[in-house]
Amino acid sequence: MPELAKGFDHAQVDPKWYAFWEEIGAFRADPSSDRPRFSMVLPPPNVTGSLHIGHALNHTLPDIIVRWKRMQGFDVLWLPGTDHAGIATQNVVEKQLAQEGRTRHDLGREAFEARVWDWVRQSKQTITGQMRKLGESVDWSRERFTLDEQLSRAVRREFVTLYRDGLVYRDRYIVNWCPRCRTALSDLEVVHRETAGRLYYLRYPRVDGRGAVTVATTRPETMLGDTAVAVNPDDERYRHLVGVRLRLPVIGRELPVIADAFVDPAFGTGAVKVTPAHDPNDFAMGNRHSLPAVAVIDEDGRMTAQAGPYAGQDRFKARAALVADLERDGLIEKVEEHRHAVGHCERCGTVVEPLVSLQWWVKIAPLAAEAIRAVEEGRIRFVPENWTRTYYEWMTNIHDWCISRQLWWGHRIPAWYCDACGGMIVAEETPAACACGGALRQETDVLDTWFSSGLWPFSTLGWPDATEDLARYYPTSLLITGFDIIFFWVARMIMLGLRFAGDVPFRDVYITALVRDERGQKMSKSKGNVVDPLKIIDDIGADALRFTLASMASPGMDIALSEGRLTGYRQFINKIWNASRFLLMNLGGQTGRPAVPSFDSLALIHRWVLHRVSQVARDVGRALTDYRFDVAASLVYQFFWHEYADWYIEMVKPHLQADEPERGQAVAVLLEVHDRLLRLLHPFIPFVTEEIWQTMPGRAADGLARDGVHRSIALAAFPAYEPAWIDEEAAAAMALLQEVTTAIRTARAERGVPPSRRLTVLIEGADAGQARLLSEGGEYIRRLAGLERLEFAASVPRSPDTVRQVVRQLQIHIPLAGIVDREAEQQRIRKELARLEKQLAGIDARLANADFRERADPDVVQEAERQRGDLGLQHQKLERILAELVG
RNA sequence: GGGCGGUUAGCUCAGUGGUAGAGCACUGGCCUUACACGCCGGCUGUCACAGGUUCGAAUCCUGUACCGCCCACCA
């Protein structure tokens, strides 16, 4: 006799089934299969990271889709892996070293890399273990890491090809430099933060001694590197000064006054100091006017020898010292408070220093043009679609991509320099020697992490080799990821996929929302409001967390994770568990799966529940097709709890106590429906459904088996819509039984009739069909409403001891001798009448409106008339009851 | 400066043209042998504000207010 424990113990159950799925290869893709394919790649988490709540969402949603597709019979590949996350990982290990009082330079490059590898191997276990805890149905046999040899070869192929096509170049240019990480950063790795700063007005004396020009700057220390002062050519105030020479304070260098349209006459004084070495705008201006660039800040953020008296000082200390000196010399006209956006390093928070340096770049415009076209042509679809605009916006204003990083952890750039002849070789494999015979030295820089992540949808499938997997699973079907990496990752995959894999990397992109805390605040360590998904999993189980996330994943909306919702769905898991226990307790030795008897021979409740479960399966499928995880979850939640458990299970109980064949029929239908519900729920809550399903006798015979045996619900068929079970009549009949039952329950609850008191109820005014139905279904009503007897009558004598409820055109008489309070009854009926009158007034107003009758949809008019009729009838009956109560 | 989103029950959120819903919370009654993480009832809303379109607006349009996000080389 199969049995379930009293409570669902996720901590004990979940790992057991995950191990089982891996053991039977339930998630393994099969490229030789003749089934249609469905493929996704998992956005690779940072290898040294830990599963956070954002991952939980971004991994749960694709898992739902993938499990659903697998159950629908697709050959599914969901490919997992991790990202080496260059700068982030290097920083973590450098911090570890710092605690030992060492730097990476103490170790040297090789030893440092070895150290990072050690940490990575260990950390990878953590994150992949956490992914298993969440229940992710990925194909671990195809797990990849961006630094795998084959993926590294893909990166070299990418680099070399782009170089040969003239899309990768090396140039001295102004870059975002992090003095803490000591590396260049791409524009995307710089985060701008609104900061309270100061605007300093500095006086630059004219060389000819005829006064001075005042410039405004937020970064006075950069003045040491000024090589000009610029004004707008149309600015009347300054036109006469163009060409005049100024004397740079402290340094003494002569600066020309130049005219450049970039200068905004309305800002500051309308005269701008120009520091080509430390400001992107000034750099561009310097190029336009052939100005020298004087670097006064070095790669560590310290002042250079060019900074005169401040040489060697930290850039911020130098600022303070310089301001004090200028103040003393009367060269500061004024200082204003000024809020402005300051660039910070995304990874370490240090204020970014624009510096001129020699870096590798990707010429992006040609790649972007193709990527824009692919979306315009509809070859890629964003869901929700408003992200399309964001994508275009960025793609259109994109700048060349700085891909070199002065780090040690990452793909080393495959370029070699020959000191003998000054030549350079770019090649996929290490060249033996320079053509001139000189020794070669490899570029020390590594590539931006995203330069390799951008290949992920095809490098993981074997590219650049023409593998079976690549042919079968590329392009992938769908990508699900967060909006925060649309630019970093999604856009680059599109550009690189088109360029290298010959097609878009995915058809649909579902962009998930940001998970926030209960009050809608962004989670951050500093705010201390971070919700740890692993703790939630420990507390209430992965299933409850998954169901909550799915329920709250409405398109385009941020998710404020609420404790209340989590509790609610944990209780749902419990409900499922207990309903399953009930089922198993009532099998009475049933070991196989009995066939469902012919539909027409079934009792009403059985026809109704099959009708509904069929509809729900259809609706859930539709919702998932539209990526409406919230709608799908809510449909199955509502049905399971408030139709199947609240009504069907309650109504089926007497059938289970009955003799054969009634009992057998009930068992067969109950098993059928329960099985379907478990399968419907499985993509959302895989663990608990597997645990229950495994205890059920005679599992679904229509499943997909790997080896001819149905071993896991994960491989069973997703429930289908069954047209043969559609039975609107049964649905209508059930609705009436439910309404009558509820009316009686309400009447007794409102008057505090104890449940132990069995009542006799009379129903008046039923037509022939209703009378037949109500007497056939009388047993259910009696049971659910706590009645002794249920009787029908054409007319029932009035009695002051009787409470009357009106359901449609039926009057329900509930004799409650000694309980009925005439005053209270009158009040209740007046209240009910008032409610009806309000509704009637609304409908009457509409119906009285000729325009409404003319212009509204005829169906709507008809529906309004029907309602008007029903409500009018109810109103009449209640008025009569009231009159009798008063009289 | 540009772009996007939000404002619905005490809380977290669904609802995109026919007169408002869910979960939690609250509340009354029940340990009715699947479930007290439960069962049966009940309460709760000028759908941010102001105009407009429409027979009809939470839903479409315009504007306002507040909240939030993204992008941005105005010092």
Side-chain angles (χ1 to χ4, degrees), chain A residues 586-641:
Chain A
N586 282 282
L587 288 180
Q590 181 76 47
T591 51
R593 171 65 59 85
V596 176
S598 87
F599 187 78
D600 293 333
S601 72
L602 294 172
L604 168 68
I605 58 164
H606 298 139
R607 296 200 314 273
W608 168 74
V609 77
L610 291 171
H611 162 82
R612 286 293 297 139
V613 82
S614 172
Q615 285 183 327
V616 170
R618 177 196 62 197
D619 295 346
V620 168
R622 281 181 184 162
L624 288 178
T625 302
D626 294 339
Y627 305 115
R628 287 304 305 265
F629 300 95
D630 58 331
V631 171
S634 152
L635 279 166
V636 65
Y637 176 98
Q638 289 298 328
F639 177 72
F640 191 100
W641 201 321

Side-chain angles (χ1 to χ4, degrees), chain A residues 90-109:
Chain A
Q90 175 159 330
N91 280 352
V92 170
V93 177
E94 284 193 298
K95 261 183 209 153
Q96 293 175 355
L97 285 176
Q99 291 198 329
E100 303 163 14
R102 294 195 290 173
T103 71
R104 67 175 147 130
H105 300 284
D106 297 335
L107 272 70
R109 185 161 186 155

Side-chain angles (χ1 to χ4, degrees), chain A residues 247-260:
Chain A
R247 173 93 49 211
L248 182 63
V250 182
I251 302 292
R253 183 164 51 237
E254 282 191 21
L255 311 175
V257 175
I258 60 171
D260 195 290

